[in-house]
Amino acid sequence: MLTATDLACSRGERQLFGGLNFHLEGGDWLHVKGENGCGKTTLLRTLIGLSPPDRGQIHWHGADTRARADEYRRAFVYLGHQAGLKEELSPLENLRLSLALDGFATGEEHLLEALYRMGLHGREDLPSRVLSAGQKRRVLLARLLLRPADLWVLDEPFNALDTAGVGLLCMMIATHLEVGGIAVLTSHQPMQIPRGQELAL
């Protein structure tokens, strides 16, 4: 259960949003919408504790996320809109590193299975710098198949994906919701996901 109460954030002297409220239970998802520069990324970064709000509170299962930061951090996975890969490392190495930084470890067979499911068979050992933008996005999205998390916070996750990639990610999000997960995401694209809540900034 994720709850935001009276959230307000600014950039410099300009307020991006204020008086923002929402409540999400297991199986719910929130589509944050708005024009470029309206504060969508700031809101997502605020939800996961990377940017402090000017005002308001965020609660996870009834507890203030700042008071139980370590527990909350283990409960979510965040994917930003930038690729966030080390160019000299392979997809396999990048995926292993990202999970290790989150404090999770898994066998190489599971890493490879996730990359294959994301359509990266035969590219798992190439330097990431030679991958297309869409393939780099698929490497990042492979984390969702491996990293246990009740809350997915995804900033423009469909960027650079082709039609097949968009369909695959929609299916992954729908499956996450079906098992009681929660998702908060930004996107300018139509999505084939069971209707969720919308928040326009």
Side-chain angles (χ1 to χ4, degrees):
M1 178 171 56
L2 179 68
T3 304
T5 306
D6 194 31
L7 277 187
C9 285
S10 301
R11 181 182 296 145
E13 297 184 358
R14 173 177 167 246
Q15 185 178 70
L16 295 172
F17 53 82
L20 189 153
N21 301 278
F22 62 81
H23 176 82
L24 301 171
E25 299 276 357
D28 292 340
W29 71 284
L30 180 68
H31 183 190
V32 182
K33 305 172 70 174
E35 298 178 355
N36 293 337
C38 70
K40 299 187 299 297
T41 294
T42 298
L43 171 59
L44 267 56
R45 289 175 57 84
T46 299
L47 291 180
I48 62 169
L50 290 178
S51 298
D54 298 334
R55 185 180 68 249
Q57 294 182 316
I58 302 162
H59 288 83
W60 177 248
H61 294 305
D64 190 310
T65 56
R66 290 168 292 189
R68 298 170 70 174
D70 289 341
E71 178 183 334
Y72 180 54
R73 198 173 296 114
R74 289 191 295 272
F76 70 76
V77 60
Y78 170 68
L79 297 183
H81 59 78
Q82 299 295 333
L85 299 178
K86 292 187 176 296
E87 296 282 287
E88 71 277 11
L89 298 183
S90 69
L92 182 61
E93 291 167 331
N94 268 293
L95 188 54
R96 184 187 294 116
L97 176 62
S98 66
L99 290 171
L101 291 174
D102 280 349
F104 292 87
T106 189
E108 183 160 317
E109 68 277 9
H110 294 111
L111 297 172
L112 290 171
E113 180 183 356
L115 291 171
Y116 295 168
R117 283 188 61 189
M118 296 309 302
L120 294 167
H121 189 276
R123 298 173 177 83
E124 60 274 10
D125 292 316
L126 296 175
S128 294
R129 65 176 179 273
V130 307
L131 301 179
S132 70
Q135 290 169 337
K136 290 177 181 178
R137 175 64 55 179
R138 286 170 181 257
V139 176
L140 292 178
L141 294 173
R143 284 180 62 204
L144 301 177
L145 299 171
L146 295 166
R147 164 71 157 85
D150 293 330
L151 171 62
W152 289 3
V153 182
L154 311 176
D155 194 359
E156 298 293 346
F158 298 97
N159 275 4
L161 291 179
D162 56 17
T163 301
V166 169
L168 175 59
L169 179 54
C170 285
M171 182 182 67
M172 290 166 57
I173 295 171
T175 300
H176 175 66
L177 300 175
E178 287 172 3
V179 297
I182 297 172
V184 180
L185 61 92
T186 65
S187 177
H188 294 287
Q189 297 177 278
M191 296 167 287
Q192 297 177 346
I193 309 172
R195 186 170 180 82
Q197 298 182 36
E198 291 189 355
L199 176 63
L201 297 183

